[in-house]
DNA sequence: TTGAAAGCGCTACCAT
DNA sequence: ATGGTAGCGCTTTCAA
């Protein structure tokens, strides 16, 4: 059996309550006793049992992350790997651990929510929803369960959320394309309903106002292969765009491949820019212009906010926190350089 | 306050013990009472508190994954994303959840180990060690803590481990290159000490026996950029290899980029093959030949074994479980096709 | 078949 | 300043 406070108490000839006090750094404990207890703890290599603590304090020290499996697993989306990585890092600084669950389908996801929060396994949740998830959010709200949404809460104004301003980000990158002299800028997004995509399309359209009459919005499935196929069709057309803003780096990779196969020069014949600024951007010949979302910043803000909610601390700032994006310009969009 | 078994008991007019029995599916409970209790549970939306259960049963229902941050975060290594993804999936089928921690440095990693297992936060650990980690493994053994190593335990014969046979895998892929007619096959690995790399180099060398006198082993840092630079040097040399087996897809990507920049045709002038078979392989022009590690298989075996250890069930098979690899041949190594 | 009660290891309150 | 003790919500033994 493992060492408990009772064992320590017996060996140090004090009460178990005193051991607990020493552990919590209670100032009222006499120095001599304190040292004696600490010595025994050290010797016995005592560590408090988090399970007992969790029960007693009604806090598990765990933050849950439930992600809906994207197309082809989370493996191929560096966003999630980044997210988890930064989350763990951020949490460890606050004495929290991360509990990850992946939901393969809608039904299962609800079950996980139930299991995770009704059983009080975790103290709070980080939500990442690619689409509006009304029922789940309402459920959490009804339970009064602490959670922060990474993304756009849409009509849920009361939900705490951390997000980029994807409308502005898309507007900026589209403007960048226009400034580079592209005349027919298109946008390659995901299917309608994916909030990130919808937001970025809105930004794209805003940028075009008064500058380009025709809006060229295309909807592709996720992944570089789908976008490669779609891009091939698009670029074969006689009225093809001369620049494409793409939803993410993977899809942009597909576009770049399609362009290369069709003999189009980047950035001269086709400008490309995308979102996420993953390591992939350095891998595309000459580099891919991409919007950096500052995932670390998103995560940091989200955890900060969540821990405040959990601790019931007053929240003075806005419920929606916006983390600025930055445009990392690489050669895939630098038409002006090429034409010099 | 939330609903407890006592509340249910009161409402159903039974004892709290009976409620517990109903929950555990105890057959001795009379049907009528059973139904009454279940009805109240349903109505009150009762869920047992996992914290109390964990304390009582001495089981948390959590499996820990501690990963040492690789170069540049885990984000850029799809292996970890895959690992986590499959782990979560596999665990959820066994009523376990995954607790992820990342250790940035050696010292911190030991601290996490302590926190995670001495405090009994998790019931078992999955270890992923890129290098021999003697002290940590000995510690776990001394504590009698359940864990399974994903990788090569080296001299720790008593450790339960799940791994590919990297020696054989490398031998096979090297043989494949030789069969394709390459005469100077090289190996681009990581620095010595990284067990996966060491194993694969050993396999590469075994394949060359009697077939190619000169062993061309190169050591690169991780990442496509480092390997691109190194590959550029290697390929500029007059005695350059005509084929490279590379430690992973990312590094292979760097090699492919270097080759392209030097005007070398793949697979005619340079054959490339690597390990991991990630989505990146489809992205490299024509496709990259790569060894598929069957991560899902690795994870499945590891979890299966770990849960047996945790439940103290007898383990009849070998302590070391080998999951077979398969070679996914794509055009980057198909020299014979090109020369037809 | 059911209920009463002990106890998992801890924190915190109330005594002294 | 210290000890005794209640109790977090649950499972399980023991009695009835």
């Amino acid at each position: 059996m493992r060492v408990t406070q009772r064992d320590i108490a017996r060996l140090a000839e004090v009460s178990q309550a005193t051991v607990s006090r020493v552990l919590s750094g209670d100032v009222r404990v006499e120095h001599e006793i304190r040292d004696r207890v600490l010595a025994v703890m050290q010797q016995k290599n005592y560590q408090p049992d988090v399970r007992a603590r969790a029960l007693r304090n009604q806090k598990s020290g765990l933050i849950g992350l439930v992600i809906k499996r994207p197309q082809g697993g989370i493996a191929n989306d560096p966003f999630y790997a980044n997210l988890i990585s930064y989350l763990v890092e951020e949490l460890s600084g606050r004495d929290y651990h991360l509990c990850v669950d992946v939901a393969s389908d809608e039904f299962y996801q609800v079950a996980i929510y139930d299991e995770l929060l009704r059983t009080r396994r975790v103290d709070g949740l980080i939500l990442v929803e690619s689409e509006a998830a009304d029922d789940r959010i309402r459920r959490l709200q009804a339970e009064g369960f602490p959670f922060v949404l990474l993304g756009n809460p849409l009509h849920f104004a009361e939900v705490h959320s951390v997000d980029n301003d994807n409308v502005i980000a898309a507007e900026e990158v589209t403007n960048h394309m226009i400034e580079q002299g592209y005349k027919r800028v298109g946008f390659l997004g995901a299917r309608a309903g994916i909030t990130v995509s919808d937001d970025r399309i809105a930004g794209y359209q805003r940028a075009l106002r008064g500058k380009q009459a025709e809006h060229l919005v295309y909807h592709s499935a996720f992944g570089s292969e789908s976008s490669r196929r779609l891009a091939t069709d698009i670029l074969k057309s006689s009225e093809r765009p001369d620049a494409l803003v793409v939803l993410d780096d993977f899809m942009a990779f597909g576009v770049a491949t399609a362009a290369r196969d069709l003999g189009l020069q980047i950035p001269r014949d086709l400008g490309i820019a995308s979102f996420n600024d993953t390591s992939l951007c350095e891998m595309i010949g000459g580099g891919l212009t991409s919007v950096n979302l500052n995932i670390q910043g998103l995560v940091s803000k989200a955890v900060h906010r969540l821990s405040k909610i959990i601790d019931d601390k007053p929240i003075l700032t806005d419920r929606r926190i916006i983390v600025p994006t930055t445009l990392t310009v690489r050669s895939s969009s630098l038409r002006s350089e090429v034409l010099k």
Side-chain angles (χ1 to χ4, degrees), chain A residues 231-232 235 254-266 270 272:
Chain A
T232 303
L235 297 176
V255 173
T257 305
R260 193 190 54 200
D261 292 349
L262 291 171
L264 296 174
Q265 290 271 356
I266 297 168
L270 181 74
I272 306 180

Side-chain angles (χ1 to χ4, degrees), chain A residues 173-174 176-177 186-188 243-249 252 255 270-275 288-291 327-328 332-333:
Chain A
V173 62
T174 307
H176 164 75
M177 299 313 252
F187 191 97
L188 182 60
L244 277 173
V245 179
V246 188
L247 185 65
D248 71 37
D249 297 337
V255 173
L270 181 74
I272 306 180
S274 67
F275 294 79
L288 174 64
T289 294
S290 192
V291 175
L327 183 63
T328 305
S332 71
S333 67

Side-chain angles (χ1 to χ4, degrees), chain A residues 226-248:
Chain A
S226 310
S227 67
R228 188 192 61 74
R229 281 195 300 267
L230 179 58
T232 303
D233 290 345
I234 295 170
L235 297 176
K236 268 184 186 163
S237 141
S238 56
E239 296 188 325
R240 70 166 182 85
D242 61 355
L244 277 173
V245 179
V246 188
L247 185 65
D248 71 37

Side-chain angles (χ1 to χ4, degrees), chain A residues 174 178 183-187 201-219 241 244:
Chain A
T174 307
I178 295 171
K183 299 299 176 197
R184 285 178 64 79
V185 182
F187 191 97
I201 289 172
Y204 156 78
Q205 292 178 326
R206 209 159 77 184
L208 294 191
R209 235 175 260 161
K211 296 182 181 155
Q212 179 184 313
E214 204 174 344
H215 292 195
L216 306 157
V217 176
Y218 310 97
H219 299 274
L244 277 173

Side-chain angles (χ1 to χ4, degrees), chain A residues 24-41:
Chain A
S24 66
D26 196 311
V27 283
R28 296 170 306 183
V29 183
E30 230 170 62
H31 276 71
E32 195 200 334
I33 294 192
R34 183 192 165 73
D35 291 346
R36 205 166 71 217
V37 171
L38 284 174
V40 178
M41 281 183 178

Side-chain angles (χ1 to χ4, degrees), chain A residues 65-107:
Chain A
L65 173 71
V66 184
I67 50 191
K68 189 156 150 214
R69 175 193 313 291
Q71 237 63 11
I74 65 167
N76 294 328
D77 194 337
F79 176 79
Y80 288 103
N82 262 303
L83 185 63
I84 291 173
S85 165
Y86 288 128
L87 252 180
V88 170
E89 193 172 336
E90 186 71 31
L91 289 174
S92 71
R94 299 169 183 273
D95 274 312
Y96 271 113
H97 293 259
L98 182 69
C99 183
V100 185
D101 280 273
V102 176
S104 41
D105 57 62
E106 190 76 13
F107 168 79

Side-chain angles (χ1 to χ4, degrees), chain A residues 89-257:
Chain A
E89 193 172 336
E90 186 71 31
L91 289 174
S92 71
R94 299 169 183 273
D95 274 312
Y96 271 113
H97 293 259
L98 182 69
C99 183
V100 185
D101 280 273
V102 176
S104 41
D105 57 62
E106 190 76 13
F107 168 79
Y108 187 52
Q109 186 157 20
V110 173
I112 288 179
Y113 271 54
D114 253 41
E115 145 75 0
L116 232 51
L117 82 191
R118 316 263 354 279
T119 66
R120 308 276 133 163
R121 187 181 284 287
V122 298
D123 295 334
L125 280 178
I126 302 277
L127 295 198
V128 191
E129 297 290 341
S130 58
E131 299 183 75
D134 300 18
D135 48 340
R136 264 163 288 150
I137 289 180
R138 258 195 285 274
R139 207 167 186 135
L140 289 167
Q141 289 184 311
E143 296 271 349
F145 199 83
F147 75 100
V148 170
L149 176 70
L150 274 180
N152 192 337
L154 299 174
H155 46 285
F156 287 99
E158 339 75 57
V159 165
H160 291 277
S161 64
V162 181
D163 200 0
N164 302 119
D165 190 325
N166 280 297
V167 179
I168 287 184
E171 191 177 357
E172 282 176 1
V173 62
T174 307
N175 278 331
H176 164 75
M177 299 313 252
I178 295 171
E179 282 159 18
Q180 288 293 317
Y182 294 108
K183 299 299 176 197
R184 285 178 64 79
V185 182
F187 191 97
L188 182 60
R191 64 155 215 277
I194 307 289
T195 48
V196 169
S197 180
D198 293 347
D199 285 351
R200 290 177 186 167
I201 289 172
Y204 156 78
Q205 292 178 326
R206 209 159 77 184
L208 294 191
R209 235 175 260 161
K211 296 182 181 155
Q212 179 184 313
E214 204 174 344
H215 292 195
L216 306 157
V217 176
Y218 310 97
H219 299 274
S220 164
F222 284 110
S224 66
E225 189 46 31
S226 310
S227 67
R228 188 192 61 74
R229 281 195 300 267
L230 179 58
T232 303
D233 290 345
I234 295 170
L235 297 176
K236 268 184 186 163
S237 141
S238 56
E239 296 188 325
R240 70 166 182 85
D242 61 355
L244 277 173
V245 179
V246 188
L247 185 65
D248 71 37
D249 297 337
F250 268 76
M251 291 167 66
F253 199 105
V255 173
T257 305

